[in-house]
Structure formats: structure tokens, C-alpha cells
Amino acid sequence: MLSRVAASFYWLSRYIERSDGMLRMLKINYASSQDTVQEFTWEPVMRIFAGLNAGEAEKLDNDSRSVLKYMVTGKNNPNSILNIITLARENARGVQEHITKDLWQCLNEYYHTVKDPRLERALHREDPIGVLDVLIKQVMLYYGTVEITMERGEGRAFMNIGKYLERAIQSVDILDTKFSSISDNPDLLTDTTYWKHLLLSLGGYELYLKTYREGFEAENVLEQVVLNNDFPRSVIYSVNNIQRYFDRLKNDSNADDYREMSFQIGRLQSRIKYSSVKSIKQEGLHLFLTQIRSELYGIGNSLNQHYFANS
């Protein structure tokens, strides 16, 4: 497969996964902003998904609808849903002959839904939860279309590597941000609502209730999001799937590149697999997550060097 084509598959999938994580986080945080009687801040969400510091976030006055407009339809925000899906569509256009007609139509529909001026008006005037749900359903439609129409070849392998790499980075960033907030406000450690919203934003609330009967505890949340092999958004689940789909890229023409990257992914996989909540706490959660994030970015850089260098 041409490196240009491989890179387009990879980035298409990363952009879609990023939009999915962002939409879910925006939905849960908007609901939280309406429920809380205390002062609510959007700063953690803005830091994770827009790279804004506290001062820049304050310029939006923590007004929920202004934040949603900036994050969903903001043309001047390079990380808005609008701009992310535009990039995803451009990558899909570049490999249109390699994807199914159904998938192209699905992406096109997502793109035009986000661009529709009525969407921005609805964010301003109507219930934003309903608007975000419409976009989340577009992502779900995309994933369903990929699953039932795409050929099981190299293209889909690169798509899944991109998806799970993006997902792992998001889970690490969300955990790091949420646990860092506890340092500034220790009362959050026993705040049931705080942990519930974190799990809801990652789609892990129902699994948590089934797995842990003793209520919401920080250590259990950490275990599920980092170490639970059955949780689709856990770090270990994502890394296992990066390894799974990378294995499908092995062939005689790229043996050296494959061997180097396989070692890199396997090292990260073992690092997480043989960790425990106790060992992570002894090491320091922030340090552990920082190193995992660095390894994940390293895998992305290696893919660019060894597989996308000529794109």
C-alpha cells in the first residue's frame, strides 16, 4: 500500500475517534454544568481537546453554550468538530477509490450535518444535548458502516491502529486531568458525582456498576480505565488492539521496520499489562500516565517515519 494512502486511512480514523471522544465529553459536561449548584468550569475539557490554558478558557466566561459553539462549530478553533471532520473528509477524498461508497456517503453526511447553519442555531437556542446526540449517532453510523462494508486488508488495519492510538491517548489525558484536579481539591476524592461523570464521558459507567459493588472509589476507576481488558476504552484494551492490527502489516518487504515497531508496541503493552493499581500509585500516577502518553506519541511518530515517510 502506498504510504500516502496508508497515512490517509490512519488520520481519517484518528479524526473520527477524536470527534467521538470530544462529543461524549461535551455532552456529559454540559449535563453536569446544568446540574451543579457550585461554580462550574470547562477548563479541563478545553485543555484536553483544544489545548487551551485556564486563561484562554476564561475568555469564554465558562458559558456553556459559548464553549459548545467554540468546540463544535468554531471555525477559528482548529480542534473544533467542524474542522476535525473537514480534515477527516479530506483524507477520505484522497483515498476514495479505496473505501466503499457507503462509507464515503456516511462521512459526507456527517460533514454536511456539522456544516449545516441550523446546527449552530440549535446549539444556541435549543437543548444542546439533543444536538450532540445527533452528531454522536453520526459517529456510530460511521463505525457501523466501516465494520460491515470495509475490506479486511491493510487499509482497515491502518484505520484501527489510528482509532485505538487516539482512544488510548484520550483515556490517558482524561485520567491525568481528572486526577490532577484532586490535588487542588481533595474533596473530589469522595465525590460520587465526579467519578460518575468521568465514567459517563468514557462510556464506562454501566460496566463499572456491574464490576464494582462497593460504590465509586478512585482506585477502582483507575483500574477500569487503565487495566480492564473488557473495557473498550481502557488503555490496555486499546494498546492490545494496536498490537493486533499492527501484526497484520507484517510482510517480507518491511521486516526491519516491522520488527522495530513491534518491539516498541510490545514494550508498552507489557509495561501496562504488568502494572497494578498499587504499583502505579507507588510510581506516581502522573508520572506513569506521562510516560504512557510519551510512548503512545512515540508509536505515532514511528508510524510516520517507517510507514508514512513518503506521504
Side-chain angles (χ1 to χ4, degrees), residues 121-167:
R121 290 197 295 269
L123 280 174
H124 182 67
R125 299 174 184 173
E126 300 174 17
D127 178 15
I129 297 292
V131 179
L132 296 172
D133 277 338
V134 167
L135 297 178
I136 290 171
K137 287 177 181 177
Q138 289 289 335
V139 180
M140 294 172 70
L141 178 61
Y142 162 86
Y143 281 132
T145 304
V146 169
E147 183 63 28
I148 64 176
T149 69
M150 279 295 293
E151 172 191 354
R152 268 51 178 171
E154 285 189 346
R156 188 168 176 273
F158 280 112
M159 291 174 79
N160 278 303
I161 291 169
K163 177 175 75 173
Y164 288 111
L165 185 63
E166 182 68 32
R167 184 175 295 182

Side-chain angles (χ1 to χ4, degrees), residues 22 28 42 88 127 199 204 208 212 224 270:
M22 191 188 307
I28 298 305
W42 281 90
D127 178 15
L199 291 164
Y208 184 94
Y212 304 98
Q224 176 166 314
S270 296

Side-chain angles (χ1 to χ4, degrees), residues 208-219:
Y208 184 94
L209 294 180
K210 295 175 182 177
T211 307
Y212 304 98
R213 303 294 184 179
E214 59 268 34
F216 292 98
E217 295 184 7
E219 290 188 359

Side-chain angles (χ1 to χ4, degrees), residues 41 60 67 127 162 181 193 195 241-242 259 264 294-295:
T41 177
L60 294 170
V67 169
D127 178 15
S181 296
T193 303
W195 299 117
N241 275 282
I242 293 171
R259 192 179 305 111
Q264 188 177 7
S294 178
E295 291 282 346

Side-chain angles (χ1 to χ4, degrees), residues 7-253:
S8 292
F9 273 122
Y10 169 82
W11 281 108
L12 159 64
S13 192
R14 281 198 67 168
Y15 288 134
I16 295 293
E17 181 66 25
R18 191 174 303 171
S19 77
D20 184 46
M22 191 188 307
L23 287 167
R24 293 176 186 277
M25 180 67 89
L26 291 173
K27 177 182 174 180
I28 298 305
N29 273 263
Y30 178 79
S32 178
S33 72
Q34 302 305 295
D35 293 340
T36 185
V37 294
Q38 302 173 341
E39 183 178 354
F40 183 85
T41 177
W42 281 90
E43 189 271 334
V45 177
M46 305 290 278
R47 186 164 76 246
I48 294 170
F49 289 108
L52 299 183
N53 58 37
E56 292 170 320
E58 286 176 2
K59 292 179 182 178
L60 294 170
D61 298 323
N62 277 319
D63 175 70
S64 294
R65 290 184 185 268
S66 296
V67 169
L68 289 176
K69 180 179 177 181
Y70 179 77
M71 296 298 291
V72 177
T73 60
K75 294 180 180 178
N76 295 325
N77 173 14
N79 296 301
S80 70
I81 298 294
L82 172 62
N83 286 322
I84 287 173
I85 298 309
T86 299
L87 289 170
R89 184 171 178 264
E90 288 175 358
N91 277 281
R93 185 189 295 279
V95 292
Q96 196 169 347
E97 68 274 21
H98 298 279
I99 63 175
T100 62
K101 181 180 179 181
D102 288 332
L103 183 55
W104 172 249
Q105 289 176 338
C106 176
L107 277 166
N108 234 11
E109 183 179 336
Y110 189 6
Y111 169 77
H112 287 294
T113 300
V114 178
K115 275 189 67 73
D116 192 332
R118 291 175 295 181
L119 185 91
E120 188 168 336
R121 290 197 295 269
L123 280 174
H124 182 67
R125 299 174 184 173
E126 300 174 17
D127 178 15
I129 297 292
V131 179
L132 296 172
D133 277 338
V134 167
L135 297 178
I136 290 171
K137 287 177 181 177
Q138 289 289 335
V139 180
M140 294 172 70
L141 178 61
Y142 162 86
Y143 281 132
T145 304
V146 169
E147 183 63 28
I148 64 176
T149 69
M150 279 295 293
E151 172 191 354
R152 268 51 178 171
E154 285 189 346
R156 188 168 176 273
F158 280 112
M159 291 174 79
N160 278 303
I161 291 169
K163 177 175 75 173
Y164 288 111
L165 185 63
E166 182 68 32
R167 184 175 295 182
I169 291 170
Q170 282 185 26
S171 293
V172 167
D173 284 344
I174 291 170
L175 263 188
D176 198 19
T177 299
K178 290 293 186 179
F179 273 86
S180 294
S181 296
I182 295 173
S183 302
D184 302 324
N185 186 2
D187 290 341
L188 293 174
L189 198 61
T190 56
D191 187 339
T192 298
T193 303
Y194 187 76
W195 299 117
K196 178 181 177 181
H197 285 155
L198 187 157
L199 291 164
L200 283 169
S201 66
L202 288 169
Y205 177 64
E206 293 182 7
L207 177 61
Y208 184 94
L209 294 180
K210 295 175 182 177
T211 307
Y212 304 98
R213 303 294 184 179
E214 59 268 34
F216 292 98
E217 295 184 7
E219 290 188 359
N220 292 340
V221 172
L222 175 60
E223 182 178 61
Q224 176 166 314
V225 179
V226 177
L227 304 172
N228 191 326
N229 282 294
D230 295 324
F231 179 40
R233 292 184 180 273
S234 74
V235 181
I236 187 62
Y237 182 91
S238 297
V239 173
N240 285 343
N241 275 282
I242 293 171
Q243 179 70 74
R244 173 189 175 192
Y245 286 102
F246 183 73
D247 284 346
R248 300 185 182 186
L249 300 179
K250 184 178 182 180
N251 58 57
D252 295 337
S253 64

